[in-house]
Amino acid sequence: MQPDIAARVMIHEVAPRDGLQIEPRFVPTDEKVAWIDRLSGTGLAKIEITSFVSPKHVPALADGEEVVRRIRRQPGILYAALIPNARGAERAAATKLDEINVVISASETHNRANLRMDRAASFRALADIRTALADTGIALTSSIATAFGCPFEGRQDPAKVLDQVTRLLDEGCTAVTLADTTGMGNPRQVADLVAATLARHPGLPLTLHVHNTRGVGLANVLAGWQAGAVRFDAALGGLGGCPFAPGATGNVCTEDVVNMFEEMDVATAVDLDALIALSRDLPDMVGHDVPGQVRAAGRPLDLHLAPAFA
Ligand code: COA
Ligand code: ZN
């Protein structure tokens, strides 16, 4: 399939959730809110700003309610949070979010490691999650973790992932994300699964969520786009990772993804210079360097003074 180069891609920033959940340092709520407010000024389509998970298991995001309450919303941006169970949906229902993103793994083993329940229990929880959201106006979306590979089980059967997409839509989810939780996917596999998902569910708002654990992140984004995906999760600076998946490392880096698309003349609507400036401030916030590349190298046309030739 030949992608429509004129069509805009939607960039979803997940650093406030996927990025911070694995950080050892608790970023104070004031700093999180100020950071999300700056992110809101960059033209992103969606920001996943926190999760409503157990504060015992993920202390870095224990302040979810306060973060949602205090951010300054910008029109045109969707604000989302990840949830693991009905308790998370009840907490989210009391806030002013646009969407919640319920995570269920393709892999049974990762679901148990991450959520301490089997997949059947995760699917059963969807009824209570729908009840919790009724009349709130909050949309229910779902991420399929380990959709391309699981660090415990290996490759996942695409037929199982496709069936999970169908089941989630049948259960009332309005959008689905295919997540490569520990960067095990490759471009051919990503293209095949994206194409098969869109063939089965034409018009589905499908998001691709990849991690750059093995350096294949941007290639997977490109392959997903060529196969028809136009929504991409990414994390500023390349932060991120699932604390319950061995070897997890950062998401594909937002400013690297934006740079790639903009250089290809595919519009993102994101202010790349603003994003790079935010990314350059990240080490102060998280206390260590971050892996993004454009933040270090600058944009391709940030040219250098020519050397003086004798
Ligand atoms: N938010 C806040 N607290 C929650 C909660 C939620 N969504 N779900 C459960 N809890 C609380 C319970 O109320 C209970 O509290 P108590 O000890 O004060 O009574 C406690 O957590 C234990 O409840 P239980 O149902 O036994 O949970 P668990 O310890 O088996 O953990 C999850 C299950 C799903 C809550 C936990 O594994 C989790 O939060 N996982 C998310 C992991 C994650 O964020 N991964 C990265 C993103 S993919
Ligand atoms: Zn992730």
Side-chain angles (χ1 to χ4, degrees):
M1 181 181 138
Q2 196 58 41
D4 177 4
I5 203 138
R8 174 189 163 189
V9 295
M10 312 282 178
I11 306 296
H12 303 168
E13 178 57 60
V14 297
R17 192 279 299 172
D18 205 328
L20 294 190
Q21 70 188 8
I22 199 166
E23 289 296 329
R25 170 178 182 250
F26 180 83
V27 175
T29 311
D30 286 351
E31 283 183 50
K32 281 180 184 143
V33 169
W35 179 46
I36 294 166
D37 286 347
R38 283 180 71 196
L39 284 168
S40 287
T42 63
L44 295 154
K46 189 189 291 190
I47 309 178
E48 197 161 283
I49 55 176
T50 189
S51 61
F52 293 114
V53 302
S54 157
K56 200 173 69 207
H57 295 291
V58 183
L61 301 180
D63 55 355
E65 278 88 352
E66 197 181 342
V67 168
V68 182
R69 196 168 53 243
R70 289 181 46 196
I71 57 157
R72 263 181 297 151
R73 272 150 221 283
Q74 297 292 337
I77 300 182
L78 294 173
Y79 293 92
L82 179 137
I83 63 153
N85 58 10
R87 172 90 185 91
E90 286 158 14
R91 290 176 60 199
T95 71
K96 296 251 179 301
L97 282 167
D98 299 304
E99 289 185 4
I100 58 171
N101 175 15
V102 56
V103 60
I104 305 178
S105 302
S107 139
E108 189 64 58
T109 317
H110 182 259
N111 208 72
R112 286 169 182 268
N114 192 35
L115 306 178
R116 301 161 64 94
M117 60 182 137
D118 59 21
R119 293 172 78 240
S122 279
F123 284 116
R124 276 197 304 277
L126 290 171
D128 289 335
I129 290 171
R130 281 196 304 274
T131 305
L133 292 186
D135 306 322
T136 62
I138 300 175
L140 176 62
T141 72
S142 182
S143 283
I144 303 179
T146 64
F148 300 93
C150 163
F152 308 107
E153 293 183 5
R155 279 270 173 102
Q156 296 296 297
D157 178 2
K160 179 171 71 166
V161 180
L162 283 173
D163 286 347
Q164 183 164 339
V165 172
T166 304
R167 175 150 190 197
L168 291 166
L169 297 175
D170 289 346
E171 294 267 9
C173 294
T174 57
V176 173
T177 298
L178 298 174
D180 188 13
T181 307
T182 56
M184 293 172 66
N186 65 70
R188 178 175 289 183
Q189 186 191 9
V190 168
D192 286 350
L193 193 55
V194 166
T197 305
L198 292 174
R200 194 188 281 195
H201 302 285
L204 166 72
L206 174 71
T207 298
L208 191 61
H209 173 112
V210 306
H211 283 257
N212 194 34
T213 312
R214 291 171 178 82
V216 194
L218 273 185
N220 285 340
V221 169
L222 184 64
W225 177 71
Q226 286 172 328
V230 293
R231 295 170 170 80
F232 300 95
D233 285 356
L236 194 75
L239 290 178
C242 174
F244 307 98
T249 61
N251 292 78
V252 71
C253 168
T254 312
E255 61 272 22
D256 293 0
V257 172
V258 169
N259 175 68
M260 178 184 78
F261 280 123
E262 292 290 335
E263 289 295 314
M264 292 166 64
D265 286 331
V266 177
T268 62
V270 176
D271 178 344
L272 181 53
D273 292 323
L275 214 53
I276 291 171
L278 266 160
S279 181
R280 286 179 175 156
D281 290 344
L282 270 185
D284 280 345
M285 187 174 84
V286 294
H288 57 79
D289 200 8
V290 299
Q293 290 184 283
V294 172
R295 62 188 298 285
R299 298 178 70 167
L301 291 179
D302 291 345
L303 300 181
H304 301 267
L305 273 181
F309 299 109

